Amino acid sequence: MSKSHFYPRYVERRLAEALEDSPVVLIHGPRQCGKTTLAQFVCAPYYLKWDDDYLVWGEERMSWGVSRQQRDYKYLTFDDTVVREGAQADPMGFVADLPQRVILDEIQRVPNLFSAIKLEVDRRRRPGSFILIGSTNVLLIPALSDSLAGRLQVVPLHPLAQSELAVQPGTALDSRTRPGFLDALFGDGFEIGQTERLGTQLIERIVGGGFPAALTRPTARRQANWYRNYVDAQLQRDVRDMARIRTLDALPRLLGAAASQTARLFNLTDLASHFQLSRPTIGDYVVLLERLFLLKRLPPWHSNHLSRMVKTPKLHVGDSGLASALLGADTASLAADRALLGQLLETFVFQELLRQASWRDAPTSFFHFRDKDGAEVDIVIEREAGAVAGVEVKAAATVTSTDFRGLRKLAKAAGERFASGVVLYDGETCTRFGEGLYAVPVRRMWEV
């Protein structure tokens, strides 16, 4: 594998450490987001960790004291029909014949393999023995959660974040330069100052999304074609393995209808009205699309201090580039349609925050906040210790005090747990709007 074709990923460190600690490591995320490339990169014989922060390729030394042979993983994919059918026919024999260290790609296609992996792990418990790669959320498969509980460490991988896109492919990655937006949000706040407005560049980033293969295409039109072909191929290939669906042709149309709801409250009745299918059936299809990482429902944030809470989740498409392609939106049309731009910008920000949180050691949960008086916060972030922060997203070049209405209500509800709140906007000035409240240019998300 050539380094020149590899985008550096900030989650590398988490994967490398997981291989030291756990016999089974699961990398899961949508197809084509870079899971296989990341696994093969980190598991290459000459992958080298210099210290706790700096990750590079090495020539002589081996990472963490393991030998070249130990670091040299065998790669198998269950997209290969022969490999898949062999594993399904004799799971125990298949696992028994595997080398000491192996990457098993598209593991969701052979769920009956999990029990055999469990027995092998219990017989000979070695860190880093199995790397499993899944393009559906295999954590929802009962066989996995039952068989590998306590033996499995999960490393989520998302499409590329904006800060990862800023690093030259094939170069070393210094985790000390990773974005500090979440640290500022839960720490000492944001430095007051000026920056350049993104303008059209922001819309281009939204439309481009984060899938590596799409971003290699030279024009926005060809990128959109990649996203549409991606959806068709994934739904045809993966959904058949997950469930028996008579009306498979309804799924692309459902995903398109869901894209029109991105960053809005989830409305199953509205989605079902486009189809001659029951609401429960459409609800089941939405769950399937969530398992494929194509959709994500953002739950409401709860507080005992507030009784008038809206308890409906929000819906987000898994990538802003994918949503743009499904809606036929390009840079020019988004610039003209400010309402749709606002939706897609909110999804863009939400996905960017998810990607940044995946690199962090602190467990992080995401919600939205809305009460029955109409006060809302687009994204509420809660850390394990209970600290709460809010992010409101505006597709505008200016911010006023009224834009902080929802954040002030969130701060009151969270009390001492409230860390800070920001209004992200496409402007030039980072400034305070009260204690713990900031207006922050959106580019500061990946440049802090």
Side-chain angles (χ1 to χ4, degrees):
M1 178 187 59
S2 169
K3 291 190 296 178
S4 63
H5 294 91
F6 175 72
Y7 281 99
R9 309 302 298 263
Y10 281 106
V11 79
E12 284 176 38
R13 177 181 176 182
R14 284 193 64 182
L15 174 57
E17 291 176 345
L19 292 174
E20 288 186 316
D21 298 336
S22 179
V24 184
V25 176
L26 169 66
I27 307 172
H28 78 161
R31 279 189 184 270
Q32 299 288 322
C33 74
K35 302 183 301 298
T36 302
T37 303
L38 175 66
Q40 291 178 334
F41 178 74
V42 173
C43 293
Y46 290 116
Y47 180 80
L48 177 62
K49 175 185 174 187
W50 285 102
D51 56 39
D52 287 339
D53 295 305
Y54 198 45
L55 297 169
V56 297
W57 282 77
E59 295 296 338
E60 299 296 336
R61 290 175 53 198
M62 297 302 135
S63 179
W64 306 285
V66 297
S67 71
R68 174 176 180 175
Q69 291 73 25
Q70 288 176 311
R71 204 78 188 150
D72 199 3
Y73 279 68
K74 172 78 172 179
Y75 173 81
L76 295 169
T77 176
F78 294 117
D79 276 342
D80 184 316
T81 303
V82 175
V83 176
R84 182 174 67 253
E85 292 189 356
Q88 289 171 336
D90 182 12
M92 297 297 181
F94 179 86
V95 171
D97 290 339
L98 291 174
Q100 288 190 0
R101 296 178 185 272
V102 65
I103 301 170
L104 299 178
D105 207 344
E106 303 302 341
I107 188 66
Q108 76 279 352
R109 306 199 71 181
V110 194
N112 58 349
L113 210 60
F114 298 138
S115 296
I117 292 173
K118 170 188 178 296
L119 292 175
E120 177 64 19
V121 167
D122 289 346
R123 186 174 67 86
R124 191 164 44 188
R125 202 178 186 95
R126 293 184 305 267
S129 296
F130 294 91
I131 297 180
L132 310 181
I133 300 176
S135 294
T136 67
N137 194 342
V138 296
L139 296 177
L140 300 178
I141 299 175
L144 175 61
S145 48
D146 293 342
S147 299
L148 295 178
R151 303 165 181 86
L152 175 75
Q153 188 162 337
V154 179
V155 177
L157 187 68
H158 300 273
L160 291 159
Q162 295 302 305
S163 54
E164 293 172 326
L165 287 169
V167 180
Q168 185 67 26
T171 61
L173 185 69
D174 189 343
S175 66
R176 290 167 291 194
T177 64
R178 68 188 179 186
F181 181 83
L182 289 173
D183 292 333
L185 197 62
F186 285 94
D188 296 329
F190 296 85
E191 183 179 348
I192 306 305
Q194 299 288 117
T195 188
E196 186 177 351
R197 180 171 176 263
L198 283 169
T200 303
Q201 292 181 37
L202 177 58
I203 302 178
E204 291 172 350
R205 289 173 184 263
I206 292 169
V207 172
F211 281 85
L215 291 167
T216 62
R217 300 207 171 182
T219 67
R221 177 181 58 82
R222 289 163 68 176
Q223 290 175 0
N225 286 339
W226 184 91
Y227 279 114
R228 286 189 285 266
N229 292 334
Y230 168 80
V231 168
D232 290 342
Q234 189 173 21
L235 295 182
Q236 290 291 333
R237 176 166 45 184
D238 290 327
V239 170
R240 294 182 190 278
D241 292 336
M242 295 165 57
R244 294 180 180 177
I245 295 181
R246 296 178 181 176
T247 54
L248 194 61
D249 63 322
L251 284 173
R253 292 189 294 122
L254 175 60
L255 187 58
S260 68
Q261 281 196 16
T262 195
R264 291 181 177 173
L265 293 178
F266 175 62
N267 189 327
L268 181 57
T269 299
D270 183 52
L271 283 179
S273 67
H274 297 275
F275 304 90
Q276 293 182 329
L277 297 168
S278 67
R279 288 177 73 256
T281 298
I282 294 298
D284 291 341
Y285 287 6
V286 169
V287 172
L288 284 176
L289 294 173
E290 286 182 298
R291 285 182 58 184
L292 291 170
F293 304 102
L294 296 172
L295 295 177
K296 185 173 180 62
R297 276 180 280 194
L298 184 64
W301 184 78
H302 297 286
S303 169
N304 294 331
H305 299 288
L306 293 174
S307 58
R308 294 172 51 81
M309 304 281 290
V310 173
K311 298 181 180 179
T312 305
K314 264 190 172 183
L315 187 67
H316 284 280
V317 177
D319 181 84
S320 63
L322 177 62
S324 299
L326 289 168
L327 295 171
D330 57 16
T331 303
S333 65
L334 280 184
D337 189 341
R338 304 302 294 182
L340 182 57
L341 174 60
Q343 286 180 251
L344 292 176
L345 176 59
E346 184 180 331
T347 289
F348 172 83
V349 167
F350 171 58
Q351 295 296 344
E352 184 70 16
L353 290 173
L354 278 181
R355 292 163 199 188
Q356 292 189 18
S358 71
W359 314 327
R360 303 289 170 169
D361 294 329
T364 306
S365 300
F366 289 85
F367 308 89
H368 79 95
F369 167 78
R370 181 176 296 198
D371 68 14
K372 294 182 180 179
D373 296 323
E376 64 176 315
V377 177
D378 294 326
I379 304 162
V380 178
I381 308 169
E382 186 168 336
R383 287 197 162 171
E384 188 178 37
V388 173
V391 176
E392 181 70 7
V393 184
K394 297 293 179 184
T398 60
V399 174
T400 67
S401 182
T402 57
D403 293 323
F404 289 84
R405 178 189 174 210
L407 288 167
R408 292 189 180 100
K409 277 206 168 184
L410 176 66
K412 183 177 180 180
E416 294 182 356
R417 297 166 57 199
F418 186 74
S420 70
V422 304
V423 174
L424 284 174
Y425 75 117
D426 185 26
E428 299 175 345
T429 304
C430 182
T431 189
R432 287 181 58 173
F433 270 77
E435 183 65 29
L437 299 176
Y438 299 85
V440 179
V442 68
R443 69 185 307 156
R444 286 282 193 101
M445 285 185 65
W446 56 88
E447 294 182 355
V448 171

